[in-house]
Amino acid sequence: MTMAKEAEPAVRTARNIRRGPDLARLASRREVLVAMAIVVVIAISTAVHSYFWSSANISFIFADSIVVALLALGESFVMLGRGIDLSVGAIMGMSAIIVGFRIQNHGMTLLPAIALGAAIGIALGLGNALLVGVTRLPPIIATLGTFSVYSGLEFVVTNGNQVDTIPNSITNLGVHTVMPGVPILLVATLPVIIIAAFVLRYTTFGRAIYAVGDDAEAAYRAGIPVQRILFSTYVIAGLAAGLAGVVFLIHTSGASSTTGNTDNLSAIAAALIGGTALTGGRGGAFGALAGSVFLSATLTALSYVHVSDIWQPAGVGVLVLLAVIYDSRGNAVRLPRPHRRSPKEGRPQ
Amino acid sequence: MTTLAMPRRWQLPGWGLCLLLALIGELTYFTITTRYFAANGVPGILVLAEQFAPTGVLALGMAMVILTGSIDLSAGATASLTAIVCGLGLEKGYNMWLCILAALLAGTLVGLANGLLVALAGIDSLLVTLATQFIVTSVLTSLAGAEPPFNFSVTFQGLGQGAIADVPDDVLVFLVLGVATILIVNYTTLGRSIVLVGFSQRAAQYTGVATRRTLASVFTMNGAFAGVAGVLLAAYYNSAQPDTGTILLLPAITIVVLGGVDIFGGRGRIGEVIIAGFLLGYLSQGMLIEGNSSLTITMVTGLVLIGALVLKISLERNFRQALAVRLQRLRTWHPSLSRPD
Amino acid sequence: MSRFTAAALRRPVYALPVIALAVSLAACSNAASSSSSSPKTTTTKPSGSLADKPITVAIVPKLLGLSVFEANVQGAREVAASLHETIDYTASVDASGPDQAAVIMGLIHSNHPPQVIAYSANDPTSEVPALEAAAKAGIKVIGFDSDVTASARLYFIQDTAYPAMAQALINAVVAKYGSKGTIGILSSTPDATIQNAWISAMRTYVKAKFPHLKIGPIGYGQSNQATSQTQATNLINSNPDLLALIPIDGAAVPGALAAVQAVGKAGKIGVFGIGDPNPNRKYFANGSLTGLFLWNEVNQGKLIAYVARDVYDGTMPSAGGTFTAGPLGTFTVSNSPAPGTIIFSKPLEFTKANYLQYNF
């Protein structure tokens, strides 16, 4: 289904113009900001603790952030369309478990494993997509429900076993580096993020997601198949989570029935820090990567200055607050917008 | 593609009835299939409600938050925090009521902080409470330390385990707070503001409603409710663990949504939330007694939530259409009748 | 499921569901009246040979789906038939005390309540009210692995003596890396009872025997392998003088090993831990793991079954006494560290030679 060309103007609603520069530039500015913040964090930490700037540590920070980066990437698509997906962690868990057992017990190799992970992700993402795009449940509720179901399925699938023997040939991807500080895993993930960024920025489909997220009513009037766009964002989130499951296996070389249960919020936090707004229509793919690398770097830095692990969640919380306060500071519209509803709907007919 | 343009203000009149029928059906079913469930008559069934009354209290506060179109992800962690504050005080030997007061105060303060951030800084509540949830978690883990407080005085335990006229104390607290919430939402200016803000924040502002104050009050109240839930949890379990309240967040949101409160705000009845609280609570209690694993219960709860919402949405759609048809007939029969709006 | 059939509904109510309100239930069948009155014997039938009476033992570990607990259950099931026991295995999905309490309440109220509940508690306190309710309902309560307040149960099967485990670990470190330097510890959560007991036992032992050894930073991996790996990496990187890492949680061991390998310090920083062999097979095979300790989970499950039988029959000795658990040998009931404690075994070391013998 090709999108009508009229989709483009819908993006430039009055509100966006008032806000100033082009959406893409805004997003990239946030990514640059976060990248600068990463550099600052690394610089300070290295000053305190010289080992921080070692190829092993930098490589670990990258490798450690890839799982959340992929989850946040999928989450970004959903959030750009003004939705939310609370089930990506469970989808990642399902993918990690099923793929892990295939690798462990049937000697599956990497490429089929990636394909299988993607397929599982798409299948479970379809569940969300059907609920949100077809039966039109509010996304937070639909994905809250599927989170319960999918994380329950994790227990059914594992049936008391766990994935614990992933061969080195696969886990080495997370350990070996192409150059000091850059793990193979990062290089292998970059194309996915670049493709996602390209789709978001330069295809009609990508622009339609922004349009829908910014103002669904206007997008609908402009001829964009709103429900179909929403549908596909949840499938994409599933796909990304499925891939994240394979990366999880590479990075941690194991998976159990509780894998992924706590990663939903990290993914959302990373996407937010990376500049993707929960209110839709703003953000991008590189933000997801930048946000999760920043999270990973900051948490690592915290432990280098011997802040107890107990305070790590607080660190994440403060970062999220700073990011959103920064966002709202730059937001010229002071009047709070009606919450996720097109203005039309408020009126009785 | 038409729903977008359709009015979404309809409130299904029968949803509360649906929930009530489901509750009665569920109670009947468990009475027949399990030996224990109704063995002690109504008091026995009420005792079972002890297990989920704190979740219900949490859901009441959450219902008000969701009515304004916001959400509070920190409520569960706040309940844990207050349980621990209360427990620490009791362990140090302070007066019981003083400890309870301190706990409620702690909850209220977290709520106030959320409220101020949402109302004054104008940040989306999901973001604010996502962040405060992380921060509160750190604070409470640090407070709890290596040995979280436990083994409180018998009087305090009585709050969570005692009963007045066969109604367990915490169920009583849930019901009393439930009635209070109904009164607040339906019969006070604040209540009207809550619904109006949820209906349309902009419209509320234009009509002179102090939207910021409303939002701040709702979050503060929710913090206080979480405080009550935390105290009840500490009394019921005779201990305060870091995860005591945190695990209740998703069940509480599920109750509110199942209770027919629109996640986008402006629509919903507290009475139905209370019924939904009992419905979900007895569902999991009954299933546990039947010997189902908590795995099955988690999945069934998720499916019930999805199923109920799909049902509700389609019922509303049909109801709207039927109403439209009938209005149309009415109009043709008596042309002088104007459009209802 | 047969319990939903009409036949099941006609079955007489045979045990008393006592929770505070039981008095009102006088009208039920005669079997109902005795279970709460005499704590020593639970059966109503005049006991000819109690040991032949089939009983149900519910094993309620911390959560579902952990292979160590599955091994417990497997062991218990292996000897169950000979003890006339049926093993019922249930637990919560989350490793949470309140959830576990709900599961226990469900067991108490179920149509066929077990005669014995064996728990491994998520935290020492949240389950207490539920376990006390079980005792009131005439169910015998025993613990294994992780205990609650002693008053809420009859006996507790402790995995190993805490000092013995601490000494085994520290001795393993010293034997390979000497007695000078810092040891990092990777635990699960700050309030994990057993882990804290191990840590303090290690501190005591180190203080007494190796003045130049220091128990340094403690990381918390939240019983999550990925988190453990992150915390272990951070411990290693932020403490360059680290001699060895001691992960003392099942998920922390593979996390620590992966971390050491990833930062390229395999062999330079020792990993000695408490955990099950299965997640670490790879590291046994390539020789990078020595000094992993636990206990035989399958045999521990068998002991649970034996103790359950004896507790039900009322043949368990009080503190100071000994009892025999079939081929497992003789065990002593002691009042230390808590009343009614049965120490299950010495630490069992897994090595490259024996790890394949264990499937947990």
Side-chain angles (χ1 to χ4, degrees):
Chain A
M1 159 95 325
T2 51
M3 220 65 62
K5 202 66 193 143
E6 295 88 77
E8 271 299 330
V11 183
R12 300 174 187 282
T13 57
R15 204 168 55 76
N16 282 321
I17 292 164
R18 215 185 312 148
R19 203 189 276 154
D22 178 36
L23 282 171
R25 265 176 53 207
L26 235 174
S28 69
R29 200 162 60 188
R30 167 52 84 79
E31 286 137 17
V32 171
L33 248 166
V34 176
M36 272 157 51
I38 295 172
V39 172
V40 170
V41 167
I42 291 179
I44 295 177
S45 311
T46 309
V48 175
H49 213 299
S50 63
Y51 190 79
F52 198 91
W53 184 246
S54 62
S55 81
N57 189 47
I58 299 297
S59 161
F60 173 77
I61 289 175
F62 280 128
D64 200 40
S65 62
I66 302 284
V67 170
V68 175
L70 279 175
L71 288 179
L73 180 70
E75 192 75 59
S76 296
F77 274 83
V78 174
M79 281 162 62
L80 284 174
R82 213 178 211 199
I84 193 160
D85 189 343
L86 297 177
S87 71
V88 287
I91 295 179
M92 181 200 87
M94 280 292 283
S95 154
I97 292 165
I98 297 175
V99 174
F101 280 129
R102 297 302 299 182
I103 295 176
Q104 176 176 299
N105 304 336
H106 305 276
M108 187 182 251
T109 52
L110 187 63
L111 284 180
I114 292 173
L116 179 62
I120 294 165
I122 290 175
L124 297 180
L126 265 177
N128 291 328
L130 284 172
L131 289 173
V132 176
V134 177
T135 58
R136 290 170 196 176
L137 284 189
I140 191 169
I141 297 169
T143 56
L144 190 67
T146 52
F147 173 71
S148 301
V149 177
Y150 293 165
S151 53
L153 280 178
E154 285 189 58
F155 280 88
V156 176
V157 173
T158 49
N159 192 22
N161 301 303
Q162 58 191 42
V163 179
D164 39 38
T165 314
I166 301 296
N168 283 343
S169 57
I170 287 178
T171 56
N172 277 345
L173 285 178
V175 180
H176 290 181
T177 53
V178 285
M179 55 183 269
V182 182
I184 298 176
L185 201 53
L186 176 67
V187 179
T189 318
L190 270 180
V192 177
I193 299 194
I194 292 171
I195 291 170
F198 178 83
V199 167
L200 282 177
R201 209 169 284 180
Y202 298 111
T203 64
T204 327
F205 169 68
R207 301 319 293 171
I209 298 179
Y210 282 95
V212 168
D214 194 66
D215 190 336
E217 181 73 22
Y220 172 61
R221 299 272 180 238
I224 293 176
V226 174
Q227 298 298 335
R228 204 171 302 161
I229 296 290
L230 289 179
F231 187 94
S232 42
T233 59
Y234 288 89
V235 177
I236 291 172
L239 168 66
L243 292 176
V246 182
V247 174
F248 184 88
L249 284 174
I250 296 172
H251 182 53
T252 60
S253 69
S256 70
S257 48
T258 52
T259 293
N261 278 3
T262 54
D263 288 309
N264 290 316
L265 296 185
S266 312
I268 296 172
L272 289 172
I273 292 172
T276 300
L278 205 56
T279 42
R282 198 156 49 86
F286 286 110
L289 179 66
S292 42
V293 171
F294 179 61
L295 261 187
S296 178
T298 315
L299 294 184
T300 309
L302 278 180
S303 76
Y304 267 72
V305 293
H306 296 287
V307 173
S308 167
D309 298 347
I310 294 173
W311 294 100
Q312 290 208 352
V316 179
V318 170
L319 290 180
V320 170
L321 267 188
L322 287 179
V324 294
I325 288 175
Y326 180 86
D327 272 354
S328 72
R329 192 187 56 88
N331 191 346
V333 188
R334 285 316 309 170
L335 196 82
R337 282 193 292 153
H339 199 85
R340 297 190 198 189
R341 183 185 290 121
S342 53
K344 181 78 185 164
E345 290 163 322
R347 243 176 284 147
Q349 290 192 323
Chain B
M1 228 27 64
T2 45
T3 17
L4 269 171
M6 276 216 270
R8 292 181 47 196
R9 286 294 144 218
W10 283 107
Q11 194 153 347
L12 192 69
W15 188 245
L17 198 66
C18 292
L19 291 175
L20 200 61
L21 286 177
L23 177 62
I24 292 170
E26 168 186 289
L27 291 177
T28 317
Y29 173 77
F30 286 129
T31 304
I32 294 172
T33 56
T34 67
R35 174 185 60 85
Y36 176 82
F37 201 80
N40 293 321
V42 176
I45 293 183
L46 278 175
V47 165
L48 284 174
E50 265 189 345
Q51 290 256 354
F52 56 81
T55 322
V57 172
L58 215 53
L60 288 173
M62 187 68 77
M64 286 191 280
V65 171
I66 295 184
L67 268 178
T68 66
S70 313
I71 195 152
D72 187 350
L73 296 183
S74 72
T78 309
S80 285
L81 176 75
T82 56
I84 285 169
V85 167
C86 185
L88 285 175
L90 289 168
E91 215 173 45
K92 292 222 163 65
Y94 290 114
N95 178 291
M96 183 177 100
W97 297 108
L98 204 67
C99 298
I100 294 177
L101 199 69
L104 295 185
L105 200 67
T108 313
L109 282 178
V110 176
L112 183 67
N114 283 332
L116 290 180
L117 280 168
V118 171
L120 294 186
I123 309 172
D124 193 296
S125 57
L126 197 132
L127 304 181
V128 169
T129 56
L130 176 72
T132 47
Q133 173 255 347
F134 281 124
I135 297 170
V136 170
T137 303
S138 282
V139 172
L140 71 93
T141 319
S142 150
L143 277 180
E147 281 175 24
F150 73 104
N151 208 7
F152 311 129
S153 69
V154 180
T155 359
F156 181 71
Q157 285 182 52
L159 286 182
Q161 297 161 11
I164 294 171
D166 279 347
V167 183
D169 288 341
D170 46 6
V171 180
L172 205 62
V173 171
F174 173 41
L175 291 174
V176 168
L177 283 181
V179 172
T181 315
I182 292 179
L183 294 178
I184 291 173
V185 171
N186 292 347
Y187 298 103
T188 66
T189 326
L190 176 65
R192 300 311 298 160
S193 314
I194 290 175
V195 177
L196 193 51
V197 166
F199 192 84
S200 164
Q201 196 161 334
R202 197 176 294 234
Q205 204 157 38
Y206 290 153
T207 34
V209 171
T211 52
R212 289 180 184 174
R213 202 163 62 205
T214 307
L215 281 173
S217 335
V218 162
F219 276 93
T220 312
M221 280 198 294
N222 188 34
F225 274 57
V228 174
V231 172
L232 291 181
L233 287 166
Y236 181 74
Y237 290 112
N238 191 21
S239 71
Q241 295 292 329
D243 64 347
T244 321
T246 314
I247 54 169
L248 301 185
L249 174 70
L250 294 189
I253 296 178
T254 309
I255 288 173
V256 175
V257 172
L258 188 69
V261 179
D262 188 339
I263 197 83
F264 301 114
R267 255 184 349 160
R269 297 195 187 97
I270 301 297
E272 293 172 2
V273 173
I274 299 175
I275 300 175
F278 281 103
L279 183 68
L280 268 188
Y282 279 124
L283 181 68
S284 66
Q285 291 302 309
M287 286 182 66
L288 273 173
I289 290 175
E290 274 195 336
N292 292 294
S293 74
S294 79
L295 162 65
T296 321
I297 295 168
T298 313
M299 292 175 69
V300 167
T301 310
L303 289 175
V304 164
L305 178 68
I306 294 172
L309 264 284
V310 170
L311 178 75
K312 182 161 175 275
I313 285 179
S314 63
L315 277 180
E316 279 172 342
R317 204 174 289 157
N318 291 341
F319 177 69
R320 273 200 305 267
Q321 279 160 5
L323 201 72
V325 168
R326 192 164 303 172
L327 280 173
Q328 192 59 48
R329 272 196 214 132
L330 211 62
R331 247 177 254 127
T332 36
W333 173 68
H334 198 301
S336 69
L337 276 175
S338 58
R339 282 177 68 91
D341 56 356
Chain C
M1 278 180 139
S2 67
R3 68 172 64 113
F4 299 135
T5 62
L9 298 181
R10 285 195 298 272
R11 196 173 294 152
V13 177
Y14 59 83
L16 187 60
V18 198
I19 301 191
L21 296 151
V23 200
S24 61
L25 192 72
C28 272
S29 75
N30 54 355
S33 51
S34 68
S35 54
S36 68
S37 52
S38 63
K40 207 67 192 165
T41 57
T42 26
T43 39
T44 53
K45 297 180 180 75
S47 51
S49 171
L50 264 178
D52 292 337
K53 190 175 184 298
I55 58 170
T56 304
V57 178
I59 298 184
V60 189
K62 292 182 179 179
L63 76 164
L64 285 175
L66 271 197
S67 59
V68 286
F69 293 128
E70 305 269 342
N72 287 148
V73 173
Q74 181 207 330
R77 289 207 166 122
E78 278 171 20
V79 295
S82 66
L83 295 168
H84 305 287
E85 286 176 4
T86 312
I87 304 295
D88 184 6
Y89 165 47
T90 179
S92 53
V93 179
D94 294 313
S96 125
D99 279 1
Q100 193 174 17
V103 169
I104 293 169
M105 292 305 279
L107 279 173
I108 301 169
H109 298 153
S110 68
N111 281 1
H112 311 283
Q115 279 74 31
V116 181
I117 289 179
Y119 66 83
S120 168
N122 278 306
D123 67 63
T125 52
S126 298
E127 299 84 354
V128 170
L131 292 174
E132 281 169 349
K136 264 191 202 159
I139 299 171
K140 305 290 184 191
V141 177
I142 58 174
F144 68 99
D145 181 50
S146 186
D147 203 6
V148 296
T149 317
S151 59
R153 46 84 180 155
L154 298 169
Y155 294 93
F156 171 63
I157 301 169
Q158 187 176 314
D159 308 316
T160 60
Y162 299 129
M165 185 59 102
Q167 286 166 23
L169 280 168
I170 299 293
N171 289 343
V173 175
V174 170
K176 209 167 171 194
Y177 290 89
S179 60
K180 213 170 168 188
T182 308
I183 296 175
I185 290 176
L186 197 57
S187 183
S188 50
T189 54
D191 59 349
T193 328
I194 316 178
Q195 272 76 10
N196 285 344
W198 280 325
I199 294 172
S200 76
M202 280 192 268
R203 285 220 164 96
T204 318
Y205 183 62
V206 163
K207 205 177 257 174
K209 285 274 303 253
F210 305 106
H212 300 297
L213 208 55
K214 194 181 128 214
I215 302 282
I218 300 174
Y220 297 102
Q222 313 292 338
S223 292
N224 176 324
Q225 191 175 329
T227 316
S228 298
Q229 186 177 342
T230 310
Q231 302 301 353
T233 310
N234 292 337
L235 278 181
I236 296 165
N237 286 341
S238 59
N239 297 279
D241 58 336
L242 212 58
L243 191 66
L245 205 53
I246 302 188
I248 52 175
D249 167 74
V253 180
L257 286 161
V260 170
Q261 195 177 43
V263 297
K265 296 230 172 163
K268 282 179 219 149
I269 293 177
V271 176
F272 302 85
I274 305 174
D276 46 334
N278 265 3
N280 308 303
R281 273 174 265 172
K282 195 165 83 181
Y283 302 99
F284 277 119
N286 69 18
S288 61
L289 177 61
T290 56
L292 183 71
F293 297 88
L294 200 70
W295 44 87
N296 189 325
E297 298 279 0
V298 177
N299 282 352
Q300 188 185 33
K302 291 179 186 166
L303 181 62
I304 294 170
Y306 280 107
V307 171
R309 184 80 244 179
D310 285 355
V311 165
Y312 180 76
D313 296 348
T315 54
M316 277 293 284
S318 49
T322 58
F323 66 98
T324 311
L328 296 175
T330 306
F331 294 88
T332 312
V333 181
S334 92
N335 271 343
S336 126
T341 304
I342 301 155
I343 305 279
F344 163 60
S345 85
K346 291 200 183 74
L348 166 67
E349 179 169 5
F350 302 107
T351 61
K352 195 172 180 172
N354 75 0
Y355 77 95
L356 285 173
Q357 296 166 20
Y358 304 97
N359 185 25
F360 53 81

